[in-house]
Amino acid sequence: MTTVFDAPWFYWAVGVAVGLPICLVLLTELHNALLRRNNVLARPVHLLRNYILPLGALLILLVQGMQISGETTPVRIVATVFGFVVLVLLLSGLNATLFQGAPEGTWRKRIPSIFLDVARFVLIAVGVGLIFAYIWGANVGGLFAALGVSSIVLGLALQNSVGQIISGLLVLFEQPFQLGDWIETPSGRGRVVEVNWRATHIDTGGGMLIMPNSVLAAASFTNFSRPPGTHSLSVDTVFAVDDPPDDVIAMLEKVAAMLPQLRPDATPSSVHLGGLRYSTSIPLTTPADDYAAKTQFLRWVWYASRRAGLHLDEAEDEFETPERLQKSVRIIAPTLRLNKAEQEAFLPHVRLARYGTHEYLQYAGEVPKRMLFVVTGTVRLVVTTSDGATIAVRTLEAGDFLGQTTLTREPVTASAYALEEVTVLLVERAHIEELTARKPVLLQDFGHAIEERRSSVQRAVAAAGE
């Protein structure tokens, strides 16, 4: 007598009854853990738990448990759905493991989307062909042959369009640029943000330039991102013919060296092009900084050229008038303890200068050669920590001063930059020494200021480290 244990369906049914719940519990826990970590594999695990595992169990019960023939329509329908879900899992898994989780800068992260589309199309075509061949017994070879003949006919009818696609694909296979590269084409300049079947999308900063791949294949273009670390911005300026070229070049290089967009460990250079023209080469990390670096450089050159007595665009500086100079001396007179007679005697020994917004008036560690007294505007004192962080110490206003260690010939402890356009009164070291010799109380004031600035820097650094 045959028992239930001898039935061919028994062990299959028990395996599904026991294995399905266990697998569901394990996959649920795995899926929750991946979700908590924002892992890209969470979606493939979700497909496996909710669709593939139940459909696989149902297919086993139909064929092995209920002994239904695989040639019947219900079994074929379930098998087809199972095959399609497996195909979706393969697409999702490959995308998650190879591309979504790719580290920045790797070839997987930079690969154009067109290649992903081609890979998906090939995988889908092969998968659908296998499903129809093994489940439904379709003549896939004949179908692909018919598609091949149709493709030839369609290609002849659309040879111009197909030629454009092929030429675009050749450009992409050659990889003359990658996602994130900055290129300049006959139609515009910008950063490559997307590459698809038909065109390359370039972010120009003022909109999105859609450049057909066939146009890129037929035209020449410049890639500013290759080789890396070689991009430089060239800025032309004009000075008066009487300005000494060496003085102009030194001023231009000093201003360019202060730019925050300057590439680390790089040095700008300026050359005299003859006549009135000068060219300054500024190494930058990325072409994205071109506009900001150029505008800031030209703005700071305007102020620096006037402080140096040079004539940008052959213009004369008429800012320092006797009236403005007298007014400025009156503003700083209480700081230097000057009476009216001393103010008049003080005028021939001072000079007015202006600094642009965010331009540095002094750097920490340098020994000042003169003192600067703030007349208008505000100046921010900052200190840079060992890890590169910038900490604000205090803000200077009209009547405050910089460079007080010029008397002791000690380096200053803090840097200073203009928060807005700042006008300062410059007093050379020799005249400061003369003033302190006649007014010993000034020497005490400057000594207190030096100690107070040091204490302020220490407090600011200590507060930042808490």
Side-chain angles (χ1 to χ4, degrees):
M1 181 177 180
T2 303
T3 64
V4 69
F5 297 102
D6 297 327
W9 55 265
F10 176 75
Y11 293 103
W12 289 103
V14 172
V16 171
V18 176
L20 180 61
I22 294 176
C23 292
L24 287 175
V25 171
L26 293 177
L27 290 176
T28 300
E29 293 299 323
L30 177 61
H31 180 253
N32 292 334
L34 293 175
L35 282 180
R36 287 193 297 269
R37 299 177 183 178
N38 292 323
N39 196 297
V40 294
L41 293 176
R43 185 171 183 272
V45 172
H46 173 77
L47 288 173
L48 182 62
R49 181 196 64 182
N50 289 1
Y51 299 100
I52 293 181
L53 196 60
L55 285 173
L58 176 60
L59 194 59
I60 291 174
L61 288 176
L62 289 176
V63 176
Q64 301 295 338
M66 302 179 65
Q67 298 294 308
I68 299 177
S69 173
E71 302 295 327
T72 60
T73 301
V75 174
R76 285 181 171 179
I77 292 175
V78 174
T80 302
V81 175
F82 179 80
F84 275 114
V85 178
V86 170
L87 187 59
V88 172
L89 176 65
L90 289 175
L91 292 172
S92 178
L94 287 175
N95 186 56
T97 55
L98 290 181
F99 303 107
Q100 287 187 3
E104 291 291 338
T106 62
W107 67 270
R108 291 182 294 162
K109 196 69 174 179
R110 296 192 303 263
I111 190 169
S113 61
I114 185 173
F115 295 140
L116 302 182
D117 294 338
V118 171
R120 292 190 188 101
F121 177 79
V122 171
L123 187 59
I124 291 172
V126 173
V128 171
L130 291 175
I131 290 173
F132 278 98
Y134 286 96
I135 297 177
W136 297 94
N139 184 9
V140 180
L143 177 61
F144 279 118
L147 288 176
V149 174
S150 301
S151 299
I152 294 174
V153 175
L154 188 61
L156 292 175
L158 302 175
Q159 55 182 330
N160 291 333
S161 300
V162 173
Q164 292 179 0
I165 294 176
I166 295 301
S167 61
L169 286 174
L170 292 176
V171 171
L172 297 178
F173 275 112
E174 185 185 353
Q175 288 278 306
F177 55 81
Q178 298 172 345
L179 294 180
D181 283 358
W182 284 78
I183 65 174
E184 183 174 18
T185 70
S187 301
R189 172 179 176 175
R191 183 171 62 91
V192 179
V193 296
E194 182 183 350
V195 181
N196 55 36
W197 285 96
R198 192 189 68 86
T200 298
H201 294 211
I202 303 173
D203 184 4
T204 63
M208 192 68 67
L209 174 64
I210 310 300
M211 177 70 67
N213 292 330
S214 59
V215 175
L216 284 175
S220 60
F221 54 88
T222 303
N223 189 338
F224 295 105
S225 300
R226 293 191 185 183
T230 59
H231 175 66
S232 294
L233 170 68
S234 181
V235 183
D236 292 343
T237 49
V238 173
F239 287 84
V241 67
D242 292 333
D243 290 336
D246 287 349
D247 292 350
V248 174
I249 290 174
M251 183 272 298
L252 291 173
E253 290 180 348
K254 182 179 179 180
V255 172
M258 293 191 301
L259 291 173
Q261 299 87 2
L262 185 69
R263 188 168 65 241
D265 302 325
T267 303
S269 61
S270 296
V271 294
H272 185 204
L273 300 179
L276 311 178
R277 296 177 59 244
Y278 294 81
S279 179
T280 304
S281 178
I282 307 172
L284 302 178
T285 303
T286 169
D289 295 332
D290 281 4
Y291 180 77
K294 181 176 181 179
T295 55
Q296 192 162 18
F297 174 74
L298 292 176
R299 182 164 53 84
W300 284 359
V301 165
W302 189 93
Y303 290 98
S305 62
R306 282 157 172 76
R307 293 196 303 270
L310 303 173
H311 305 84
L312 178 65
D313 295 328
E314 303 182 87
E316 294 286 344
D317 185 20
E318 300 177 353
F319 177 73
E320 190 178 83
T321 60
E323 295 78 11
R324 187 174 280 117
L325 199 59
Q326 290 175 355
K327 182 179 179 181
S328 301
V329 171
R330 285 197 299 269
I331 291 175
I332 70 167
T335 304
L336 292 176
R337 302 174 182 269
L338 301 175
N339 56 36
K340 289 187 177 180
E342 290 172 331
Q343 292 178 29
E344 293 297 327
F346 193 61
L347 287 174
H349 304 285
V350 297
R351 185 167 63 90
L352 280 177
R354 287 176 290 178
Y355 288 82
T357 304
H358 296 154
E359 191 175 3
Y360 273 80
L361 287 73
Q362 74 175 24
Y363 286 94
E366 68 179 8
V367 179
K369 299 179 180 179
R370 60 182 67 87
M371 287 191 67
L372 287 71
F373 294 85
V374 181
V375 176
T376 62
T378 53
V379 176
R380 174 70 51 80
L381 286 181
V382 295
V383 62
T384 303
T385 60
S386 56
D387 58 356
T390 300
I391 304 172
V393 177
R394 59 175 296 186
T395 300
L396 305 181
E397 299 177 343
D400 291 327
F401 51 84
L402 293 165
Q404 64 276 5
T405 58
T406 185
L407 294 173
T408 59
R409 299 184 184 273
E410 294 177 313
V412 293
T413 56
S415 302
Y417 67 90
L419 293 176
E420 54 190 329
E421 184 182 276
V422 171
T423 303
V424 297
L425 207 60
L426 305 178
V427 186
E428 297 297 328
R429 182 178 185 274
H431 196 63
I432 292 295
E433 289 180 335
E434 181 184 339
L435 275 177
T436 54
R438 289 190 288 109
K439 297 176 180 289
V441 68
L442 274 181
L443 195 57
Q444 296 180 9
D445 293 342
F446 292 149
H448 291 322
I450 293 173
E451 293 302 323
E452 194 274 334
R453 296 277 173 89
R454 287 175 179 170
S455 299
S456 297
V457 169
Q458 293 173 357
R459 289 194 300 269
V461 173
E466 294 179 354

